[in-house]
Amino acid sequence: MINNYTPNLCRDAVCISNDVRNSAIISSYFNKPRQYFAVFSSPRELDIVRRREVVFVNNIIAKINPKWILLSNLDEKVRDDFLKKFPSERVIIIDFEEEIKKKLKNVITQPTNNVFCRENDIAKGLLFAKNQNAKLIIDNSAKDINKFTTNRHLVFLDDFSGVVPTITANYAYSIGASIAIGKEYKREIVEDICESFLVSRIYRGHERGLIAEKKIKDTANLLDIQSILSNFDFITFITNGIPYGYFAPYLPCTHIFSLSNIGVTLAESMFYAKYINYIRSVLVIDPGFFKNSETNYVLQPFRNSGSYVRSLIGKNATVYQTRMHIQYFPYDLLFICTHAGKVSGKRYKIQIEDQDGKSHIVVIDMVFEYTKPPGEITDDTKLEVIDQRIFIEFDGKEWNKSNQKDFNWAEGSFFKTFMNTTPSQWNVIDQYDISYVKNSFRIECIDGFCVFALQELADLENPFIFNNSCSSFHSIAAQCLYAGAISYIGTIFPVKDNDAKIIAKKVFSNTNDSTPLAFKIWEAQNFVYKNTADRPYINIGCHFLAINTSEKNIKKSLPKRISISLKN
């Protein structure tokens, strides 16, 4: 059996870094058992994104309340943003490897032994160093690290970008797990794998469906994770988005997405499990498309407890109410029961000028949502139009591969100006309809479709999201986690109505036994699908997280949470 305890958050110090070497060496100094030393990825450079991510990091650091805040090798603008947030007497700036020992002298007891590892082996090297109470020395002439703990929990890593290896090692140490290293896959390959699951179902029996089915089988052979399963009782996959759980159906597991804010997600998960650990408020969305849906099974335990329940059911599940509640109502659990799917839209090729007057060609996809305001609809009623803009190319290069430093949008003002303009104000070179906008997702409401486009969640809290709509795993999962969710359950292909009902009933049948959600999902799928490996549900979140109810009446605190949400 694995340990299901929640690690303690280290309050001696936290680290914000953009340097995997520095962050790993610093982390090796903090090695108390069952304690998690929090490292946070440096917020990204684009102004509008950076400020939001600074807020996310600042909020969790305020909850941890560490003695010291270590800033290591940060971009000047990012460093300045954080220096405005924290008292200067609690901040230590560490830019060079050589100054780590000196600057940590009065922060933490210095390790007396050393462990050596190569730079491409930092995750395993750091874990071994922490287990040996030793300082990590990064030396590319070092031998391979092949040491494992005796614990039956494995943390499997496939993303080596930024400080993700450091965060992974700190997490594995705090839960007493081993680490295994997988192959890193490009984002387009990950998206192609996830897309294959949906295509294989939609076009089952047709050529396109058969090609997708073959791709899934080829992926199983490519990942080759079966060879490591026999040595462990549970696996946590820290991944760029691959649904490994589908390829390991007979072993309980969970996933943690290695997004830019993985450090925030892990720390917020521990804070929730340690200091809250029960559902205070619930939001359920069910337009009523499924006869005798699972909604009542979900609602029952919370109606019988001290939780506040807000349900948008039937005619109340309008696009307007759904969007407003998802964005502004402070929930600890969001349950969605409706149809869902990919989104059509329009692609624009636009000529624009940056702040220096230099001309650029930008390609974006746009998704439109038309919202009817509450109240009686007349001929004079104006629909609210909301658009979601997804950047595809910049000067002929894929957007995520473009050199945005040269684009002058990092200052933010030009970017924000552009985002506040409409297509009628653009110099459009070309435009055409597209049937599928990648990384966009919508759920069906009683009066239309609500485009799921989250940037941050209500009152900056960190909810569980159970999206029991069809094929709800990939793009929407990443979006919800980036916005602040600590747990997300979705499906990689359409689910039969009765199966969805049974899964929900099993998961929510006993909310007082503290069984971790990852185990409940696995056991529920075992019950429904028995010996069949073709299982649709994927769990994302720390293995110790559980959905619990409480008899505490928290309804009095709700107005304050709503007020905070509206201010943000």
Side-chain angles (χ1 to χ4, degrees):
M1 279 296 293
I2 70 164
N3 296 315
N4 288 330
Y5 64 81
T6 302
N8 296 308
L9 286 158
C10 175
R11 297 184 185 276
D12 293 313
V14 298
C15 178
I16 308 169
S17 180
N18 201 31
D19 187 319
V20 67
R21 291 176 63 107
N22 281 11
S23 64
I25 295 169
I26 290 168
S27 295
S28 68
Y29 284 72
F30 300 87
N31 45 37
K32 292 181 182 177
R34 296 194 173 195
Q35 187 178 86
Y36 177 69
F37 176 66
V39 171
F40 304 106
S41 304
S42 172
R44 289 170 291 179
E45 292 181 6
L46 192 63
D47 184 70
I48 195 170
V49 176
R50 185 183 76 243
R51 291 181 181 177
R52 186 187 308 126
E53 292 180 357
V54 166
V55 170
F56 288 160
V57 173
N58 179 66
N59 286 347
I60 183 57
I61 289 179
K63 293 176 184 178
I64 297 172
N65 192 25
K67 294 176 184 176
W68 299 99
I69 299 153
L70 313 177
L71 306 182
S72 179
N73 210 0
L74 298 179
D75 174 82
E76 185 178 351
K77 292 176 184 175
V78 174
R79 178 191 294 178
D80 289 345
D81 283 341
F82 281 118
L83 289 175
K84 294 173 186 175
K85 299 285 185 182
F86 307 132
S88 58
E89 63 271 15
R90 292 173 60 193
V91 175
I92 298 175
I93 296 175
I94 304 174
D95 285 335
F96 303 102
E97 214 172 287
E98 296 75 19
E99 59 186 0
I100 292 175
K101 181 178 180 179
K102 180 180 178 181
K103 292 203 172 182
L104 292 185
K105 183 177 180 180
N106 297 321
V107 175
I108 196 75
T109 302
Q110 304 269 321
T112 55
N113 300 317
N114 295 328
V115 162
F116 296 84
C117 82
R118 295 195 295 262
E119 188 164 356
N120 62 2
D121 215 10
I122 279 179
K124 289 195 292 184
L126 175 56
L127 177 60
F128 184 52
K130 290 172 81 80
N131 280 321
Q132 297 297 311
N133 192 21
K135 176 185 174 182
L136 182 66
I137 304 293
I138 299 172
D139 181 351
N140 285 330
S141 66
K143 297 179 181 179
D144 285 341
I145 297 288
N146 291 312
K147 305 292 184 180
F148 292 94
T149 65
T150 56
N151 195 281
R152 301 286 291 177
H153 188 161
L154 177 69
V155 173
F156 182 92
L157 173 66
D158 73 3
D159 184 356
F160 312 103
S161 61
V163 294
V164 172
T166 299
I167 293 171
T168 298
N170 285 337
Y171 182 63
Y173 176 75
S174 73
I175 60 176
S178 299
I179 283 180
I181 302 300
K183 182 180 178 181
E184 187 170 22
Y185 296 94
K186 293 181 180 179
R187 189 65 187 170
E188 52 264 35
I189 294 177
V190 174
E191 291 178 353
D192 196 36
I193 291 170
C194 293
E195 184 75 8
S196 298
F197 286 102
L198 180 60
V199 172
S200 69
R201 295 316 194 272
I202 294 175
Y203 298 98
R204 176 168 277 175
H206 298 276
E207 182 180 3
R208 188 175 176 187
L210 294 173
I211 292 172
E213 288 177 8
K214 183 179 183 302
K215 188 172 293 183
I216 294 170
K217 291 179 182 178
D218 291 344
T219 300
N221 295 329
L222 181 68
L223 298 177
D224 189 29
I225 59 173
Q226 296 296 330
S227 59
I228 63 173
L229 300 185
S230 60
N231 297 320
F232 299 95
D233 295 328
F234 190 94
I235 299 185
T236 294
F237 295 102
I238 296 184
T239 174
N240 193 29
I242 294 177
Y244 287 99
Y246 176 84
F247 303 101
Y250 303 121
L251 192 70
C253 69
T254 190
H255 304 71
I256 296 173
F257 274 13
S258 53
L259 305 166
S260 59
N261 60 348
I262 178 177
V264 173
T265 301
L266 291 175
E268 288 284 11
S269 298
M270 294 172 200
F271 186 88
Y272 172 88
K274 279 284 186 183
Y275 302 106
I276 302 174
N277 206 30
Y278 65 91
I279 301 298
R280 297 164 294 181
S281 56
V282 180
L283 174 61
V284 172
I285 299 169
D286 181 358
F289 299 129
F290 306 109
K291 187 178 180 180
N292 300 320
S293 74
E294 62 271 21
T295 296
N296 284 332
Y297 296 124
V298 176
L299 290 175
Q300 185 176 350
F302 302 106
R303 284 173 171 164
N304 295 335
S305 71
S307 304
Y308 182 88
V309 176
R310 176 65 63 88
S311 53
L312 300 179
I313 297 177
K315 65 180 182 180
N316 292 319
T318 63
V319 172
Y320 178 83
Q321 291 292 349
T322 296
R323 180 166 56 81
M324 294 298 289
H325 276 78
I326 286 177
Q327 191 71 65
Y328 298 112
F329 182 77
Y331 46 84
D332 296 318
L333 170 65
L334 169 62
F335 186 86
I336 299 172
C337 174
T338 182
H339 297 294
K342 304 297 182 180
V343 187
S344 60
K346 188 179 286 289
R347 176 162 292 184
Y348 291 89
K349 187 175 185 180
I350 311 159
Q351 184 179 28
I352 55 177
E353 289 186 356
D354 64 20
Q355 292 171 323
D356 295 331
K358 186 177 179 181
S359 180
H360 298 281
I361 302 296
V362 176
V363 177
I364 67 168
D365 289 347
M366 287 187 66
V367 175
F368 300 92
E369 175 190 300
Y370 302 93
T371 304
K372 301 175 185 176
E376 184 179 353
I377 304 299
T378 68
D379 292 340
D380 296 326
T381 300
K382 293 183 178 179
L383 297 179
E384 182 181 2
V385 181
I386 296 174
D387 66 67
Q388 179 186 15
R389 304 178 185 189
I390 300 172
F391 290 84
I392 306 300
E393 291 181 5
F394 171 65
D395 284 348
K397 296 181 181 179
E398 289 183 38
W399 178 255
N400 57 1
K401 295 180 181 178
S402 299
N403 188 353
Q404 293 180 34
K405 288 183 179 179
D406 295 338
F407 188 30
N408 242 357
W409 284 19
E411 297 298 328
S413 59
F414 184 81
F415 182 82
K416 285 184 286 188
T417 300
F418 176 76
M419 293 299 285
N420 289 327
T421 60
T422 63
S424 63
Q425 298 170 284
W426 300 341
N427 181 12
V428 178
I429 299 172
D430 191 17
Q431 60 177 298
Y432 52 90
D433 295 330
I434 53 176
S435 59
Y436 167 42
V437 177
K438 276 192 173 184
N439 299 318
S440 190
F441 187 84
R442 67 183 184 181
I443 57 175
E444 187 172 1
C445 300
I446 200 69
D447 60 342
F449 288 94
C450 177
V451 176
F452 225 94
L454 291 177
Q455 294 182 338
E456 57 191 40
L457 295 168
D459 75 338
L460 298 177
E461 285 291 346
N462 309 98
F464 295 76
I465 297 179
F466 195 137
N467 193 347
N468 216 13
S469 54
C470 294
S471 306
S472 56
F473 165 70
H474 186 51
S475 59
I476 186 62
Q479 193 179 134
C480 289
L481 292 161
Y482 177 74
I486 55 174
S487 173
Y488 184 91
I489 298 167
T491 59
I492 52 176
F493 51 78
V495 183
K496 294 178 181 178
D497 294 352
N498 194 54
D499 291 350
K501 189 185 301 185
I502 297 172
I503 293 288
K505 186 176 181 180
K506 288 285 182 182
V507 170
F508 292 98
S509 61
N510 189 347
T511 54
N512 294 313
D513 63 0
S514 296
T515 300
L517 190 55
F519 287 90
K520 283 196 169 187
I521 291 292
W522 183 69
E523 289 169 351
Q525 294 205 95
N526 280 345
F527 180 84
V528 173
Y529 303 108
K530 298 185 172 30
N531 296 324
T532 304
D534 203 31
R535 304 179 179 193
Y537 286 88
I538 300 293
N539 182 75
I540 308 173
C542 294
H543 70 285
F544 51 77
L545 288 173
I547 292 179
N548 300 316
T549 52
S550 171
E551 295 306 314
K552 296 179 182 178
N553 191 324
I554 52 80
K555 296 176 182 177
K556 292 181 181 179
S557 67
L558 199 62
K560 181 180 179 181
R561 292 183 67 187
I562 292 175
S563 176
I564 293 171
S565 169
L566 293 174
K567 286 180 182 178
N568 291 323

